[in-house]
Amino acid sequence: MKKSLIALSSVLVFSVAVGAAPLNDYIAPTAVYAAQYQINNSMETITAEGYGPMPSGMPAGAAKVLARRAAVVDAQRNLLESVKGVAIDSETTVENFMLKDDIIHSKVNGIITGARVISEEAQDGVYKVTMAVPVYGVGSIADVAITAVVGDKAPVPVPAPSVDYVPGTGVSISGNYSGLVINVRDKGLVRTFCPAIYDTNGRAIYGVYNVDKKYAIDYGVVGYAKGPEGWGKVSAGTSRAGIKPLVIEAVGVRERTVNKCDVVISVEDADRILAENQRSHFLDKYAVMFEI
């Protein structure tokens, strides 16, 4: 039977529950962004379909009940397979963590068991259900993944720029940027719960360890803008990066990893970001977008 797995459907670009408030020390770039981002985050799910044949030779009502039960089990199995392949960071996937940790295995199975039925129908002797689990928020895949990586560690400050950094010709540190946008289009970047930014010397600029755990679970470490619609929101100032982002071109994505989830930028651009952050504080507000 036909089965469809839709992993990490990009409603916004990587995602919170409606009504969940940002952390007290986070200031959204615009009011429009704050409302839109929360709504879109609430819609981001991993979904899967399941099918159950209606048994013959029994009353229609009983056959429908049994077929629906089989369809739910099928959808849950498909959801689990889809979730297993989701990248937690550049080195591993949900499945790797499940194999290593019985607690994580139990939590993921609990999320799948509690998956929500978002549509169902009976047609041509087959019952079909579509089920979904949340990507972000309490009790989500992000909750399990980020907790597994970060534990109870408090966020650490982003680094300072190099002590000898001097802005290049035509570059000024204005202190007026609302966020950071890194263009990683056509470079094969894989979305993940724990992305990072490195420079070409391997220096870590920004990542999950710099973000408050609750914020990362609810909103993600970065936002992802995919395709013309997502890029248009960035240009319109309604993305996480706000109305006046600093735009940087990525050199590439991190190599020699299982998942190409990390962004690589030049040393000069890294220092510029860190110097600008000392004035604009956009990394402290986690106002970072990747255009993919």
Side-chain angles (χ1 to χ4, degrees):
M1 294 180 183
K2 178 182 178 182
K3 298 179 181 179
S4 174
L5 301 181
I6 308 173
L8 292 179
S9 54
S10 193
V11 176
L12 172 172
V13 286
F14 223 64
S15 311
V16 91
V18 172
L23 301 180
N24 292 335
D25 60 353
Y26 175 75
I27 302 173
T30 67
V32 172
Y33 154 76
Q36 180 181 17
Y37 197 61
Q38 284 185 311
I39 292 170
N40 284 337
N41 278 357
S42 73
M43 295 171 61
E44 183 143 22
T45 59
I46 297 175
T47 67
E49 296 173 354
Y51 298 84
M54 294 209 192
S56 59
M58 65 170 55
K64 186 175 179 180
V65 169
L66 290 177
R68 185 183 188 278
R69 186 178 303 165
V72 167
V73 172
D74 189 38
Q76 288 174 334
R77 181 169 54 246
N78 290 338
L79 269 177
L80 181 59
E81 289 305 310
S82 186
V83 167
K84 282 180 179 180
V86 173
I88 291 181
D89 56 26
S90 61
E91 300 296 337
T92 191
T93 63
V94 171
E95 182 175 25
N96 299 138
F97 268 115
M98 290 176 68
L99 293 173
K100 293 186 296 183
D101 193 315
D102 289 340
I103 294 177
I104 294 174
H105 188 280
S106 177
K107 287 182 177 180
V108 171
N109 282 338
I111 291 173
I112 300 300
T113 301
R116 179 170 55 96
V117 175
I118 58 175
S119 69
E120 53 187 298
E121 63 176 344
Q123 188 175 16
D124 299 328
V126 175
Y127 203 96
K128 171 187 173 183
V129 299
T130 302
M131 302 184 73
V133 294
V135 174
Y136 292 96
V138 176
S140 67
I141 303 300
D143 195 346
V144 175
I146 291 172
T147 299
V149 173
V150 175
D152 295 323
K153 298 183 180 71
V156 299
V158 296
S162 303
V163 292
D164 58 351
Y165 171 67
V166 177
T169 304
V171 175
S172 62
I173 307 302
S174 68
N176 294 324
Y177 290 108
S178 59
L180 173 66
V181 173
I182 299 185
N183 181 0
V184 204
R185 302 181 195 181
D186 302 319
K187 288 183 169 59
L189 185 73
V190 176
R191 290 179 55 177
T192 178
F193 292 109
C194 302
I197 303 172
Y198 293 90
D199 69 15
T200 50
N201 284 344
R203 175 178 48 162
I205 305 303
Y206 173 83
V208 66
Y209 292 105
N210 306 117
V211 180
D212 180 273
K213 177 182 172 182
K214 182 182 184 304
Y215 185 95
I217 290 171
D218 285 348
Y219 293 85
V221 174
V222 304
Y224 291 82
K226 183 175 182 179
E229 183 179 357
W231 306 335
K233 290 178 181 178
V234 172
S235 298
T238 57
S239 82
R240 174 179 183 142
I243 59 175
K244 188 183 178 182
L246 172 62
V247 180
I248 298 294
E249 295 290 324
V251 172
V253 294
R254 191 84 179 250
E255 299 294 338
R256 296 190 301 277
T257 56
V258 175
N259 306 298
K260 291 181 170 57
C261 301
D262 301 329
V263 172
V264 179
I265 58 177
S266 70
V267 173
E268 182 179 358
D269 282 338
D271 278 324
R272 182 185 180 191
I273 290 169
L274 296 175
E276 187 62 55
N277 182 63
Q278 291 182 327
R279 296 189 182 184
S280 298
H281 302 289
F282 46 72
L283 295 182
D284 304 327
K285 301 171 186 175
Y286 322 133
V288 180
M289 291 291 299
F290 290 169
E291 289 190 333
I292 61 176

